[in-house]
Amino acid sequence: MLSAALDILSKQETRNVTDSASNSGAPAEDVQAGNHSNSSIYDCSPITTGAVLLADILPTLFIKLLAPLVIHKLPYGFRVLFCVIMALTSFLLVSFSSAVWISIFGVVFASLSAGLGELSFLSLSVFFSRKVLQGWGSGTGAAGLVGALFYSGLIQVGLSPQVTLLIMLLFPVAMLLSYFGLLVYPPSFPQWRQVETEYAPVDSEDRQWLMDESEDEQEVSTPEQRTMGPLTWKEKCYVIKGLWKFVWPLAVVYFAEYFINQGLMELLFFHNIVLSHADQYRWYQTLYQLGVLVSRSSLCCFQIRKLWGFSLLQCVNAVFLLFAVRFQFLPSVWLVFCIIFFEGLLGGAAYVNTFHFISEENEDRYREFAMATASVGDSLGIALAGIAAFPVHNYFCSL
């Protein structure tokens, strides 16, 4: 959806231009030129892509803030079905929309799917070997890259955004089939029933299953080490307090990251090259996702505990590109491609290392709650970036 943001806004703008031309009797090109007084510099759209970002992240943030307190009452099977239905609805709404508000509404459905899906699967990871986080990191990185590359590639070969979004319906279906058809669960996994404890107790059969899945792990917790009963409010507050050292660096990284992605990328427009403005934007997003995939897959090779370093470097990236937009001193789009790829590397590494150390440092009893709660960090940073994108867009488009 973020790769399609400029197309979502441009589709409605084109429709408005056509309608205005019909009503006024003027050529559509003249009306469009009047609407784009800044096109020679930044080729601004009437609405910043930050609007799509906010629609994409605010529902996710809302779910992540509230769900960890009550989500254990909803079985995992129903959660996944809800995510799939929301994703299918999103693609259909955006592809067939006749107004920009309908498209934004469709993005909201995608956000509901992504928000509930992320915190649910992070919580689900506690039922498996800790090494499953390596797969989660690579998988989420690949999902972003495949989505962006698939969309950009189909648009590049001539398909319309509408047809491309309809083809994307394959992905929610693939998610449904992989979750219910491929994933192998512990014998007592609560697929269709409410989780009675914050961390499900493990019987001897489950313990043997975990040992078979991860023979090279040095130790496996015994049932006696996992206290029964839901977490108390005092325990939850204790866990949340311990998560701050992870959440704030992640939030800062993602603020700077998405300030670049949705506040500056659409303004980093190079004239007189083979790629159009929309093409440049889509490939920015694709290269960013490539960087995310590479770094999220690095957990098996090395871990980085000093998360503040990612925050610092990402802020440097954001400030540098902000000045680049204002003063137009970057000589080539290829240099921007390299910077965007590096931005993705930082973001992906911050994400996967954050959740790795949260999983390592929390007791088994607290891990499910901690993993779900900490996921609010990236969403909070993204939401703030979406808000910041509006004044930036208005400032540069008024020059």
Side-chain angles (χ1 to χ4, degrees), residues 14 16-35:
T14 301
N16 291 339
V17 167
T18 303
D19 292 343
S20 299
S22 299
N23 294 334
S24 65
E29 291 80 2
D30 294 343
V31 176
Q32 190 166 14
N35 289 345

Side-chain angles (χ1 to χ4, degrees), residues 1 55-57 59-60 63 82-94 101-117:
M1 286 301 175
D56 189 67
I57 201 61
T60 291
I63 286 179
F82 177 83
C83 291
V84 170
I85 292 171
M86 290 297 99
L88 291 171
T89 303
S90 172
F91 285 125
L92 290 171
L93 274 177
V94 175
W101 70 267
I102 298 178
S103 295
I104 297 296
F105 194 57
V107 176
V108 169
F109 279 92
S111 179
L112 293 172
S113 174
L116 181 62

